[in-house]
């Protein structure tokens, strides 16, 4: 697992960590049952505060990507919720992306191409 934090990014560090862990799962670099470093170890590895890692792990748990166990630590465990619930979440996230694309005159066809290429890239990894 390769996590890189950009300390100059306007994006919060805990969000960067959360997003990169989700990407690792999507790219099949992290699989169900894999252990993540403890909060303390991850904070040490990344050079960040333990509370930052704890917040990222808590969000991942709430979103159904991790299970937290006092004895075993953070374990990758992707919950499969109903497809309808997932589609509703995706719709909520995509609305702003589509709005931004429209404002910047990105066409529907260009958006379809971008999404298609992303799917293909993940499948090839």
């Amino acid at each position: 697992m390769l996590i890189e934090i950009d300390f100059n990014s306007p994006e919060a560090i805990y969000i960067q960590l959360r997003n990169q862990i989700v990407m690792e799962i999507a790219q099949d670099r992290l699989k169900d049952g894999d252990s993540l470093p403890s909060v303390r170890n991850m904070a040490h590895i990344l050079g960040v505060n333990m509370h930052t890692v704890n917040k990222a792990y808590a969000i991942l748990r709430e979103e159904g990507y991790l299970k937290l166990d006092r004895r075993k630590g953070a374990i990758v465990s992707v919950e499969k919720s109903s497809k309808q619930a997932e589609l509703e979440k995706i719709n909520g996230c995509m609305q702003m992306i589509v709005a931004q694309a429209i404002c910047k005159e990105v066409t529907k066809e260009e958006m379809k191409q971008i999404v298609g290429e992303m799917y293909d890239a993940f499948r090839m990894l």
Side-chain angles (χ1 to χ4, degrees):
M1 176 175 67
L2 179 63
I3 302 291
E4 293 182 5
I5 299 300
D6 179 359
F7 293 99
N8 295 317
S9 172
E11 187 171 55
I13 293 171
Y14 74 94
I15 296 294
Q16 291 182 53
L17 178 56
R18 177 254 178 225
N19 291 348
Q20 289 188 45
I21 290 172
V22 171
M23 292 290 286
E24 293 286 312
I25 294 168
Q27 294 170 351
D28 216 23
R29 292 185 192 139
L30 282 175
K31 300 175 184 357
D32 271 5
D34 285 354
S35 294
L36 294 178
S38 69
V39 169
R40 179 168 295 175
N41 284 342
M42 182 67 88
H44 177 73
I45 291 166
L46 299 176
V48 300
N49 189 294
M50 285 180 16
H51 296 292
T52 301
V53 176
N54 195 44
K55 187 169 185 175
Y57 280 12
I59 290 169
L60 288 162
R61 180 187 52 76
E62 289 171 19
E63 293 176 340
Y65 292 102
L66 294 182
K67 287 191 178 177
L68 301 177
D69 183 290
R70 288 180 188 239
R71 290 168 280 147
K72 297 179 183 177
I75 308 295
V76 175
S77 178
V78 180
E79 273 181 25
K80 307 290 191 242
S81 57
S82 77
K83 186 143 190 174
Q84 186 59 39
E86 288 303 315
L87 287 172
E88 288 173 14
K89 285 183 204 173
I90 291 167
N91 187 4
C93 294
M94 291 291 291
Q95 283 185 7
M96 185 52 66
I97 293 169
V98 171
Q100 289 172 326
I102 289 168
C103 289
K104 299 294 184 171
E105 299 181 354
V106 176
T107 67
K108 186 176 181 178
E109 290 72 30
E110 290 169 327
M111 288 294 288
K112 286 180 181 180
Q113 181 179 349
I114 290 168
V115 172
E117 288 172 359
M118 284 181 187
Y119 260 87
D120 292 345
F122 276 101
R123 301 270 185 234
M124 291 178 155
L125 298 174

